[in-house]
Amino acid sequence: MMPSAPDTPAIVGGKPVRTKPFPKWPVHGAAERKQLLKVLESGDWWCGTGKKTEQFEQAFAEYHGAKYAIACTNGSTALEASLLACGIAPGEEVITTPYTFVATAGSILRVNAVPVFVDIMPDTANMDPDLIEKAITPRTAAIMPVHFAGLPCDMDKIRSIARKHKLKVIEDACHAWGGQWKGKGLGAVGDIGCFSFQMSKNLTAGEGGIILTNSRKLANLAGSVVHVGRKAGHEWYEHFVIGSNLRMTEWQSAVLIEQLKRLPKQQETRLRNTAFLDEKLSRIGGLKTMASEKRAGRRSVHIYIFRVDKGSFGIGRDRLVECLNAEGIPCHGGYPFPLYRNPVFQDLGKIDSPLARLIGKKLDYKKVNCPEAERICKDVIWIKQSTLLGTRKDMRDIVTAVKKIKAAAPLLT
Ligand SMILES: *Cc1c(COP(=O)(O)O)cnc(C)c1O
C-alpha cells in the first residue's frame, strides 16, 4: 500500500501527526516512596497521631499566604464544611457559576441551601461579576466563585459586592493551586477557599481536599466540622457542632508534601506551554483563546481551553475533537451542558427532599438559562493539565495537528 500523503487527516486514513503519548499523570518518584514508607513503618497512619497532615497543612497554607489550612477528604467535602462554617442556613441562596464541576453547586444543595446561577464571561469562562448584584435577594448569604481552569475571577469586584451586601465569599479554588489574585493566594482572598487533590488535579493524592482561611473563627468552625464536631483543646468525647469524619489520612499527606514541592516547576511548564499555544492558536482563523489576567500575580493553569467558531474554522468543535484525537492529540469538549441542566437540578421540585419541602415550587431550574454557559459547552475544547507538561515539540504537534485539520476542513464536514 502506498503511504498516504502527510497532509491527509488521520481520521480519513492519513498518517497521524503523532503516535507518541503525552506525559503520564501522576508524576512521582523516590521522594513519595520514601515518605509513604516512613508513614507505613511509623504505624502513625492517622493524622491524630502522625505529623504529616499537619506538616502538609502548614506548607500549603504558607505557599498560599493563608493563616489557616484544614485538610479533608476531598474538594466536595471542603466546600460543604466551608458552607457550614460560614453559617449558610437551609433555604439561603448562594450565587455561583453554571460552568463548573458538580461539586460547586452540589455542595450548596448538600447543606440544603439554594444555588443561584449567574452566567459566565465568554473570554474567561468565569462568572460575570456584573451579573451578581441582579441575582441578590433577601435570602442571599454567599457568593461561590470558581477560578475556572486556574484563571482568577475578579476578586476585587466580587469582594466589594460581598461587603456591600454582607455576603460571605467562598472560593472554589479547585482549579487554582498556587494561583494568585494581585499577589494574594487564591483560596485565601475571600472569607474561605477550597481545593481538591483528586486524581485529575494538578496536585493529587488520588483523593483529598483542603480549606484555607485567614479567619481564626472560620478555621475553628471548619476544623470542627471536619473533626466530628470536636474543638481543639477539648476532650475527645466533647462534640460541639454537627460535623463528620472528613479527615485526610497520613498516606495522602505524605504524598501531597512531595507533590507540593513539584508544583511550582510544573506550573511554570504549564504556563509556558499555555503562552505558546495561545500565541499559535490565536493566529489560526476560527479559533479563540482565553483572556489573560494581568492583575493575577503567580498563575495557576489547570486545563487549557480554546473555542472553535465553526463558520470560520470550517468544521465544528465535536468534529475537530474527533479529528485531533485521530492525530494523536488528546482533548475533549469538557462539560456537555451547563450544570443546571442535570436532573439533580431539573427534577429538584419533583423529588421530595428537605430542600424541596423548604422552598417548594420556587425551585425551578427549568427556567434557568445562561446563554454564555450554553454556548461554551458547544464550542470549547479542553486539553488536560498533564498534556500541558509536555515539551515545546509536544505543543508544536498540537498546533500542527490543528493547522492540518483546518487545511483539510472542506473534506471533513
Ligand atoms: C474537582 C473539583 C471540585 C472538587 O472535587 P472532588 O472530586 O470532590 O475533590 C470542586 N470544584 C471544581 C470546579 C472541581 O473541578
Side-chain angles (χ1 to χ4, degrees):
M1 204 175 83
M2 286 273 290
S4 48
D7 50 0
T8 305
I11 199 150
V12 290
K15 187 170 171 290
V17 167
R18 61 184 278 149
T19 49
K20 191 178 160 233
F22 280 83
K24 272 209 290 230
W25 187 258
V27 174
H28 59 91
E32 281 81 1
R33 232 177 353 257
K34 198 171 148 202
Q35 286 276 10
L36 282 168
L37 275 173
K38 260 200 223 160
V39 172
L40 180 74
E41 280 153 12
S42 72
D44 290 327
W45 299 355
W46 176 56
C47 68
T49 52
K51 287 275 167 277
K52 299 287 179 203
T53 301
E54 199 183 325
Q55 194 187 325
F56 173 64
E57 286 172 337
Q58 277 174 9
F60 195 83
E62 194 177 311
Y63 188 51
H64 292 79
K67 280 196 189 140
Y68 308 99
I70 302 116
C72 61
T73 48
N74 55 58
S76 303
T77 54
L79 288 164
E80 287 174 35
S82 298
L83 285 156
L84 292 171
C86 286
I88 307 305
E92 288 188 330
E93 294 170 1
V94 180
I95 295 172
T96 191
T97 166
Y99 195 65
T100 183
F101 181 61
V102 63
T104 313
S107 67
I108 300 167
L109 293 176
R110 290 269 295 162
V111 302
N112 291 314
V114 184
V116 172
F117 294 105
V118 299
D119 208 352
I120 58 164
M121 295 180 290
D123 58 339
T124 66
N126 279 335
M127 84 197 284
D128 185 344
D130 294 335
L131 300 176
I132 294 175
E133 280 201 291
K134 271 178 256 161
I136 293 174
T137 75
R139 290 179 302 278
T140 308
I143 306 170
M144 187 182 279
V146 177
H147 308 296
F148 189 81
L151 187 70
C153 293
D154 186 331
M155 291 305 288
D156 287 359
K157 277 194 185 169
I158 290 173
R159 285 183 61 200
S160 102
I161 295 165
R163 243 188 327 264
K164 184 171 154 200
H165 297 272
K166 298 196 164 50
L167 310 175
K168 288 277 192 277
V169 176
I170 302 165
E171 286 174 82
D172 180 337
C174 290
H175 289 187
W177 320 260
Q180 292 181 331
W181 171 252
K182 291 186 168 174
K184 280 184 78 176
L186 293 176
V189 180
D191 293 282
I192 195 163
C194 302
F195 296 80
S196 165
F197 307 125
Q198 184 268 342
M199 189 69 173
S200 66
K201 313 293 182 162
N202 297 20
L203 193 61
T204 186
E207 297 280 6
I210 203 164
I211 301 164
L212 291 185
T213 181
N214 287 312
S215 151
R216 187 216 277 265
K217 185 173 155 230
L218 289 179
N220 285 341
L221 282 165
S224 203
V225 172
V226 167
H227 295 273
V228 291
R230 287 187 188 129
K231 264 188 199 169
H234 287 263
E235 290 302 320
W236 70 280
Y237 208 67
E238 288 185 286
H239 304 279
F240 298 87
V241 304
I242 304 173
S244 188
N245 175 4
L246 305 177
R247 288 184 295 257
M248 180 175 274
T249 69
E250 289 285 282
W251 309 109
Q252 291 162 290
S253 302
V255 171
L256 287 166
I257 286 168
E258 296 306 323
Q259 293 284 301
L260 184 59
K261 292 180 194 161
R262 295 180 190 273
L263 182 73
K265 248 187 135 172
Q266 291 172 338
Q267 294 290 60
E268 270 173 40
T269 305
R270 293 187 187 102
L271 198 56
R272 195 167 56 239
N273 285 335
T274 293
F276 178 80
L277 289 175
D278 273 350
E279 196 213 312
K280 300 292 179 197
L281 296 183
S282 62
R283 289 198 201 148
I284 299 175
L287 301 183
K288 200 164 181 321
T289 55
M290 292 288 127
S292 58
E293 177 53 83
K294 300 218 162 29
R295 295 167 289 179
R298 193 171 64 203
R299 259 302 306 278
S300 165
V301 179
H302 182 38
I303 44 182
Y304 180 79
I305 56 178
F306 64 98
R307 304 182 65 170
V308 186
D309 176 41
K310 186 175 179 179
S312 42
F313 189 82
I315 55 172
R317 188 273 310 271
D318 289 343
R319 187 66 172 150
L320 179 52
V321 165
E322 274 175 13
C323 292
L324 287 174
N325 289 165
E327 298 297 338
I329 309 300
C331 61
H332 63 104
Y335 310 131
F337 39 79
L339 185 53
Y340 55 77
R341 293 218 174 274
N342 272 285
V344 64
F345 295 99
Q346 296 288 306
D347 299 344
L348 247 179
K350 275 200 258 168
I351 298 162
D352 186 43
S353 69
L355 186 57
R357 263 173 269 152
L358 199 65
I359 13 207
K361 298 220 181 326
K362 272 179 258 155
L363 258 187
D364 190 0
Y365 286 97
K366 288 199 174 69
K367 291 189 191 129
V368 178
N369 183 20
C370 299
E372 293 299 345
E374 298 279 344
R375 209 165 290 138
I376 199 170
C377 289
K378 295 194 174 73
D379 70 14
V380 80
I381 291 184
W382 291 18
I383 294 178
K384 63 182 175 182
Q385 55 89 3
S386 56
T387 304
L388 291 178
L389 290 177
T391 60
R392 174 58 54 92
K393 161 80 170 69
D394 291 337
M395 298 305 112
R396 268 202 204 102
D397 284 347
I398 296 175
V399 177
T400 302
V402 172
K403 283 183 175 164
K404 178 179 167 185
I405 302 303
K406 181 170 158 87
L411 310 168
L412 295 168
T413 47

